[in-house]
Amino acid sequence: MHQHKGLNLPQIGWWLDAQRAQSRCFISHAHSDHIGPHREIVATRATASLMRLRMAGKRVETILEYNQPWTADFGCEFRLHPAGHIFGSAMLEARSEHGTLLYTGDFKLRPSLAAETCATPRADVLIMETTFGLPKYAFPPDAEIEHQIVDFCRSALADQVTPVLYAYSLGKTQELLQIVGRAGLPVMIHAHGYRLTQRYAELGMKLPPFKELDLHHHAGHVVIAPPMTGATEPLTWINPKRTAVATGWAIDGGAKYQYGCDAAFPLSDHADYPDLLAFVDRVQPKLVYTVHGFAKEFASTLRARGIEAWALGQQNQMDLGLG
């Protein structure tokens, strides 16, 4: 599911997380690679609200609460379940006379400080993301990662250096705010993430205090900003600074060099390999389709465990029936 790609349920005429404009599409969450200028969408209230900030234009919105049944065409019933990825993220359960299909979108099984707790409903067919579908991607305990991030920030501030944490504006920025803000550290957020964080607060998420990044008064604050590189780097005026990136790819060991940072922390809003396996164990599907990341490798792992599984990640459009 890369650019312009998505999943199609042709029997009922709905798409899942398509980027090219479709007549009707389920939106699992508001990250830019999962949204498009569709005529009609189904989403949670938070996802629809965040999507309005990120994509102009009018669309018909069907807003569903978690676990609220809604009848689509041909007698197919939709329900949304928390995905644990970012605020408002949802998995789609589609139920018909032929059985139940569960589409995860992006998900995180471990509890998040800035998202609802992931659900694990049973389903006959499971379509799951496998971003970290190799055994080496087993993240340290959350408490350990959070402690390292707070220590990094406190150490920099003690040295009268501004700690800058690089993270995506939607989802990871708000999770970092929860981590460092709850530790009592003052936080400033880059403009890109600031308005999204304001929207989180408006939607009802309880957050620590935060301010918009200020050219003149950032000293003594933890700064959270989107990843930036080379000549486009807009934070050259923060000097001295100590930088870190928050990404699950930090497990690979080269992330701090790739991002040009002093440190890298394996903070992710995706399920790691053990949680991908745990999720399948809980859902108990008869058939699994994998997308994203190490889809082929994880499908092979599931087949070795006696579960029919196939990778779909390389196809441009994937027609998936409910029968």
Side-chain angles (χ1 to χ4, degrees):
M1 263 193 272
H2 299 291
Q3 190 175 10
H4 304 311
K5 299 177 186 179
L7 296 167
N8 186 23
L9 300 177
Q11 290 179 327
I12 57 174
W14 280 86
W15 282 77
L16 313 176
D17 284 342
Q19 286 186 277
R20 180 176 291 156
Q22 305 296 340
S23 57
R24 298 184 296 184
C25 191
F26 163 66
I27 306 296
S28 66
H29 65 286
H31 278 151
S32 58
D33 59 337
H34 287 256
I35 63 177
H38 311 301
R39 191 177 71 200
E40 180 182 355
I41 67 167
V42 164
T44 64
R45 182 174 66 98
T47 293
S49 179
L50 291 162
M51 186 174 170
R52 287 181 217 123
L53 278 181
R54 311 202 94 186
M55 181 167 285
K58 292 186 177 181
R59 61 192 70 91
V60 177
E61 297 177 349
T62 296
I63 305 301
L64 298 182
E65 301 296 327
Y66 291 125
N67 209 37
Q68 174 189 346
W70 182 75
T71 302
D73 288 348
F74 307 105
C76 183
E77 181 185 274
F78 284 0
R79 289 177 189 259
L80 305 188
H81 301 278
H85 178 57
I86 65 171
F87 195 30
S89 62
M91 300 181 285
L92 174 69
E93 176 190 335
R95 184 180 296 271
S96 77
E97 61 183 6
H98 301 293
T100 306
L101 179 148
L102 181 67
Y103 166 71
T104 66
D106 290 340
F107 77 99
K108 176 180 177 178
L109 193 56
R110 303 179 313 286
S112 171
L113 294 173
E116 302 84 356
T117 300
C118 183
T120 55
R122 300 272 182 94
D124 300 314
V125 178
L126 171 63
I127 309 167
M128 65 183 298
E129 65 105 340
T130 52
T131 300
F132 292 111
L134 291 182
K136 69 175 180 176
Y137 294 112
F139 300 133
D142 289 342
E144 179 181 321
I145 301 169
E146 293 163 15
H147 181 74
Q148 290 173 353
I149 291 170
V150 171
D151 274 1
F152 173 87
C153 294
R154 283 187 172 144
S155 175
L157 292 170
D159 293 339
Q160 296 187 314
V161 173
T162 299
V164 178
L165 304 177
Y166 289 122
Y168 290 126
S169 296
L170 177 57
K172 197 73 66 68
T173 282
Q174 294 76 31
E175 191 171 7
L176 284 171
L177 169 62
Q178 294 280 34
I179 292 169
V180 297
R182 288 183 180 192
L185 301 178
V187 177
M188 281 190 170
I189 299 177
H190 187 281
H192 291 170
Y194 179 76
R195 66 180 187 139
L196 292 165
T197 308
Q198 283 185 310
R199 183 59 55 93
Y200 265 51
E202 292 164 6
L203 287 165
M205 179 167 285
K206 186 173 176 58
L207 296 167
F210 62 96
K211 299 177 183 177
E212 187 170 4
L213 180 56
D214 187 319
L215 178 67
H216 302 293
H217 302 101
H218 58 270
H221 292 79
V222 176
V223 171
I224 305 175
M228 298 164 192
T229 57
T232 61
E233 170 64 72
L235 302 182
T236 51
W237 43 269
I238 298 182
N239 188 39
K241 62 177 175 288
R242 198 170 296 164
T243 60
V245 63
T247 172
W249 301 112
I251 288 287
D252 285 334
K256 71 176 184 178
Y257 305 108
Q258 179 184 346
Y259 288 92
C261 293
D262 299 306
F265 301 108
L267 181 73
S268 179
D269 47 20
H270 292 265
D272 66 356
Y273 180 82
D275 278 350
L276 291 173
L277 291 173
F279 186 81
V280 174
D281 286 343
R282 295 182 195 180
V283 175
Q284 297 187 10
K286 299 170 185 173
L287 172 63
V288 179
Y289 293 111
T290 58
V291 293
H292 290 315
F294 297 98
K296 290 181 180 179
E297 293 87 346
F298 193 74
S300 178
T301 295
L302 292 181
R303 289 195 300 273
R305 293 163 66 95
I307 300 167
E308 185 179 356
W310 304 100
L312 293 175
Q314 305 307 312
Q315 294 176 327
N316 189 43
Q317 296 179 2
M318 293 161 274
D319 292 343
L320 298 167
L322 285 172

